[in-house]
Amino acid sequence: MSRPKYWRGIEELEQSPEFLAQKDREFSTDIPMEDALSNTTEESLGFNANRRDFLKVMGFGMTAATLSACFEAPTKKAIPYVKKPDDQIPGVANYYASTTPEGNPVLVKTRVGRPILLEGNPDSYTGRNGIDTPGHATILGLYDEDRIRAPHKNANPSDWDIVDREIANKIAELKQTGAKVRVLSSSVLSPSTQAVIDEFLAQFEDGQASHVMYDAVSTSSILDAHEATFGQRMLPTYQMQKAEVIASFACDFLGTWIAPNEFTWKYVVNRDAKTGKMSRHFQVESMLSLTGANADIRFPVQPSQIGLSLLNLHNKVARLVGKPTLPGVESFNVAANGLDKIANELVEARGKSLVLCGINDTNIQQVVNAINYMLDNYGNTVDIDNPGLLRKGSDTDLATLAAELERGEVDGLFLYGANPVYNSVYSDAFKKAIPEMKLSVSFAHKFDETTELCEYVCPDHHYLESWGDKQQATNLYSVVQPTINPIFNSRQVEDSFLTWTGNKIDFHDYLKNRWFSIYEAEQEENFVDGQAFWDTCLRKGVYEKEATSGGRFSFNEVAILEASKGIKGPVTEGMEIVLYEKVAIRDGKYGNNPWLHELPDPITRVAWDNYLVVPNAYAKENGLKNEDIVSVSIEGLAEPVELPVFVQPGLARNTVGVALGYGRSKNVGRVAKVVGGYNAFQLLTRNGDNVSYRRGGVSISKTEKTYPLALTQTFDTLYDPAKGEVFGDDYDRTDYIIRETILPFYNGEGGKDNPYRENVEKWEEKRKHLVTLWESHFKDPETNRNIRWAMVIDLNKCTGCGACIISCHAENNVPVVGKKEVRDRRNMHWLRIDRYYSGDTENPDVVFQPMMCQHCDNAPCETVCPVLATIHSNEGLNQMTYNRCVGTRYCANNCPYKVRRFNWFSYYNDELFRDVNPYQNELGRLVLNPDVTVRFRGVMEKCSWCVQRLQEAKLKAKIQANSSFAKPDDKNLTACQSACSANAVVFGDLNDKNSAVSKLFYDERSYTVLEEVKTLPSIKYMTKVRNRTVEEYEEKEAIKKEVQNYTKV
Amino acid sequence: MNKQFLLGKFWNPDHVMEALAKFKSAGVKVYDVYAPFPLHGIESLMDIKRTRLAYASFIYGIIGFSVAILAMGSIFGSFWPMNIGGKPNIPWPSFVPITFELTVLFAAHGIVITFFIVARYWPGKKAVLMDDRQTDDVFVIAIDKNKIQDIEEVTGILKDNEAFEISEKEVTV
Amino acid sequence: MSHVESPIRQKWVTNTEHYNKITEDIARPIESKPNLLWLVVTGFSGLVMAAGFAIIGWTIWEGIGTWGLNPTVGWGFDITNFVFWVGIGHAGTLISAVLLLFRQPWRNSINRASEAMTIFAVFCAGLFPVIHMGRPWLALWFFPLPNTRGSLWVNFNSPLLWDVFAISTYLTVSLVFWYLGMVPDFATLRDRLRKKGRKFMSSIYGFLSFGWDGSSRNWSRYEIVTWVLAGLATPLVLSVHTIVSMDFATSVIPGWHTTIFPPYFVAGAIFSGFGMVQTLMIVTRKVYKLEDYITMDHMESIAKIVVATGSIVGLAYMTEFFVAWYSGSLWERYIFINRAFGPYAWAYWIMFSCNVITPQLFWFRWVRRNMVFTFILSIFVNIGMWFERFVIIVTSLHRDYLASSWATYTPTWVEAGIFIGTFGLFFFLFFLFAKFLPVINIFEVKTLVRHPKKPENLGESTVTKAIVD
């Protein structure tokens, strides 16, 4: 059909001549270009436009346009969710259950998809009350900018496909050659991972490939000893909560030994003075460990004498229980009759006692087993029916591997969580062998000492990025689940293995299948199917069964006789050196973690370094003082080692010590590089196959050099001997700060011996007649509907581990300031743990006192701030307004507790702190808690009692109860409270008569620090009660008097 | 407006005082005496009324005092009541220092400003000079020519008291 | 006025019979060209001042961390210098106000210079409260200004805020007092310079002189005003250091928390102030040959005040110790034992010997009249009083309550630099003053002249001539 013809106008329709003339022209009327450019008309531009002019104009225009375009406008990308995920509410945190590599079940707090805080998993058995000190800091490792970001080949970035292909080929080669292949790892806690590894090794011929486990700080001897005495290689589960008498020999189970956080709550459960059910804790050790600091009775003994004292203890116990004694034991005792005392009490508490030993010597451990066996502790306090699985390393296997390396038999080595070049006694063997191997693969996060040498680096995920599971004991399982997308181009080690096994399944499914099989195996009838079971476990984070019991093990008497002969007598002459772990740094695995380095060691209170701890007496004799550099020469060591000295009370005579975990390679990261220090693993020796952490034949010579140490507490007591000469004991004002008593006094019937009970009555009496200048702002609790926050810290429970400090670090974005600043006493910790000694320097009593803002009702800081930057909330919080603060520092001066911290520099962007402060790099910033301001330079800051958490809790409570007067429950309110494995920190609402805190707040044991200043703090401390007999108490007192008289003369 | 003055110039303040005494008894009205420094006791001879500046200053003080009290009281009492170190919202003792300072501040500045206004001195004002040494070492008695009945008597008195110069000058005052 | 004076009254102005000579002597340095010495010293102090300000800039740029402070010792050189300079400031007002009220004619020749000293010292002092802040650019927040941040006000409980009011009141009132005193002298200079044909200078002084003409009616008002100001300045000068002392006295820190502080600080302030007056006057009278106006008797009476106040301060030190012991408070006791025998004992004993022991030499007349001795002793006083503040601030803080946070304080070059810088500022200003303003109150000194002689350059009495013309 023909389309109709459209006409534009009458003219076209009529085809008029004008139209015809015009129709091909674009513009029907002329554009007055000429007029415009010439100066004929009125409105002309006034110049004749020739080509040049045009070009000029155009040129100018273009240039102008270009120049104006040169300015780079900042582009901000903010892409909102098109569809909001159900679990993502902006400003509301999500919690996921996971497990740290050390096997601590944790809850991971995430905000908009990034983990920012770790807390113990309350549903779990081991981690119910919190996680250990380094555990809290592992979250920072996730955002470590020095992590390996991609697979590497010969230290050059590569690609997974390439790496996989090449490794696959090499594995094929190895299969042909039949050369030995080894997977070397630290204890693998995950059954699934274990399965994967086994599957991987299974593809080789029998005997060709095997899996070797070792731990940097080895407890192999305990497992070996049990093999020897009970015929099964296992790590018992220790039940401190059942023990009435604990005798620990050089075993720092509260600080560093195996699972400190688990042992801590188990230990503290039975340290409650109120019920009078308080365990008695003996500590026989050479160093002053955290555990020793908490012990009731402590005996300093030279390292080489510990074995002997155990032998003697064995015989004394044997006599008491009428068992055969060990022949040929040189008689030895600690402090006159220490061992008899211990033996008697152990036997009295038969079946409810516990002997522990931290020495990695199979013979000694067998003796320990023997003692525990004699005392019927097996099945009670020492559980081998449900052995622990936290440690599997075997020194023997490692020794074998080392031998094979020497002989050059191993051609394929896979290193998973193992860093033998740095931390094993066979360092040199590995150093030599690895470069020559056909195939050496490391799964490390860092270019650590061993990884440097490996051909291939297949970086593992951080555990917060990976799937997995852990098994703490035969009856305890927990899961690991990713809480963030992998940050780098890393891959889970299990996936790598699966790939190289040729197994196509990805590890997540693999894991699920395994858990389904657990479900089948256990016949869990309260779940419909495996999926439901898995989902629940994933939500809870743990799967725990009742501990079974009843299995009886026959004890091998013969082995003991053998073992006893293997124990060497005391080294009488010469100094000995102990290689110990620090509570925070441990074996140095987290050597690049600034939080851990900034945390002062609870005992020495030194941060950022390792050093040679030296007994006071020795230092006095040889004129050594802190920070002197001494050269330490040791038998069998090529050249002497130069170390700075730290004079430490409480060390056994002739004993010095140096901490492990320092002196990491520069490639580990910028922090490790800054720290430096000396790698004490170089001093490891072998005793049989056992790795030994003690050495004899030490001689020390002073050099002229000195080395600065970042010491954060220079005074250990308020008793200042120099002044003592003038005014005597008057000057010991410690009572105003620390209060302690002993159990018999405290439980004196009717409280007649309990000074504190009387104090309370006196105080109540006094309170009646108190005159004050003005009314309190806080009304009578009965009539007051408001919350009144308060805290009680039980000095009896606090072990001083410092987990709370790290947790506070993470929760409140506390900056890391580095060694120099810490040395200038400018560490920014909102919460510090003061450590005080009393008594003599040979064997002092130790008290730990967590000290943070006391939130005083009559706060001296508030009165003096000229701009009202710090004021009191009607809930009793002493609030700090950073924006208002002008930084006069008057408040800090006027704070009797000296808990206020000033931002001397702008730590968040000052170059000086680039290396140490993680908040200065893109990645590290991700760990910042969005609820808390990052403080500006020149601003005062201090503990806020985690006000952001309080607000959140209040809102939750109100929403849940749908009432504006609802009050939150007092669980996990502040970070320190939730972090404390010992439950030493109780926090809550004082106006609520039923809250735990209000009960304890007016407890007879509660006191406020510096009461006489009448700042009326909202924090009370509870008197420390030591479980000592009156005689022991009097002995100690006599010594104290002696010390003071001595200084007076 | 211009005035014709009869000026008696002296070099010794004692002579000035004696001359003034004479003028007072003779009932001659002296316009003013210009001196390099204050001549004590001249007020009675010239019947200068005692100035009331001191009272003014007192009133300024009262104002300063009440400003301080009212400001602080209302700020802490009503604008922004706060719990500061557990103290009551209106801590009177704390107000004392600032109240005192403000009182002094107002009183001191008030009186000085008032003085310059009353004395008609202001920055950059052109000084009225009978003799260019009257700020150095010459004392001038100025008498309004038009108010003089007996010129002889006046000059006589001046002369008797050792005026070293007697002259006339027309000055704008 | 001579005719009311008794002939036995002490002569405060020697061998001067002509009023004109006084004007000459005092105006000479202003009218003559600056000599080399002046240029050198002024230039030097100017450089020091500039350096000081540069270092202050560095502090503000980098942060207070450049100082040696720590959470335990939050104040060091900064507040020490502040109190030191404020103290120096006290002598001026004291001389001009209190001595006026007590009718001490000898003040007339030294009040001008010492008031100048006061004002410059307060300038220096005023620096520190500002730069010691972590965020000095927010110094405005110290003032109770209505603002847009909700109703956000200052803390009237805070001694630091009291300081703000005290210092600013003190500074402005002293300035006014000083200026008022100079007005007639400006007039004098104005007329002299006009006669000498130096139009420009004359016009400047003319402007400053507010058109002063020496009319007796205004003289009488003027005197009343001076008296009232003196009456106001006297309690003011006492209040200022009282309030400064409250910075410490109202705190809870042992060694600070003492009721003796206000009188003790005031005495100390006067003491240090007069020390500085001695130092300056000895130099000024020598350089400007003003021995006739600032006579040996002046120096002697200053010395007397120094020994008196010095002894008061010494008494205060001992009282502190007694009360510390008598209070029975262990903290208090410890702090004072620690002061005298602790790590900062050296500072304490410097303070003690410079403030209590050496000034006792002024009991001897020949020492008081020996300018070399007096000069040295006055320097000691300055040193001692600086250390007094240092001792009070640092020793009290560095070992207060919790032994765990005991620390020591060592200043850095930055702090030292700023301190020296303030001396540059002080002397720079003082030299300028000495060149361009009358260092002695001309008209007040004239009132001290007895039996003036007839000026030579006056003609005979010219009665008839005047009338005829």
Side-chain angles (χ1 to χ4, degrees), chain A residues 826 834 864 889-890 910 1012, chain C residues 62 67 74 158 247 331 404:
Chain A
R826 289 174 181 176
D834 294 342
V864 297
R889 302 187 297 290
Y890 197 175
D910 190 323
E1012 68 163 22
Chain C
E62 186 59 27
W67 297 359
S158 167
D247 284 348
W331 310 100
S404 61

Side-chain angles (χ1 to χ4, degrees), chain A residues 141-161:
Chain A
L142 172 64
Y143 303 113
D144 186 339
E145 61 176 337
D146 298 317
R147 266 172 68 192
I148 299 176
R149 305 186 173 213
H152 280 63
K153 184 193 175 189
N154 301 329
N156 301 323
S158 177
D159 187 4
W160 281 112
D161 307 344

Side-chain angles (χ1 to χ4, degrees), chain A residues 669-691:
Chain A
R670 58 197 73 222
V671 178
K673 190 168 154 203
V674 173
V675 176
Y678 172 71
N679 174 11
F681 282 109
Q682 296 169 24
L683 300 181
L684 294 183
T685 50
R686 295 171 54 192
N687 164 24
D689 284 343
N690 289 132
V691 181

Side-chain angles (χ1 to χ4, degrees), chain C residues 171-193:
Chain C
L171 179 60
T172 51
V173 171
S174 316
L175 260 173
V176 167
F177 200 10
W178 186 52
Y179 190 87
L180 194 65
M182 282 193 293
V183 166
D185 292 359
F186 284 142
T188 312
L189 290 167
R190 172 194 67 203
D191 299 344
R192 285 180 55 84
L193 287 159

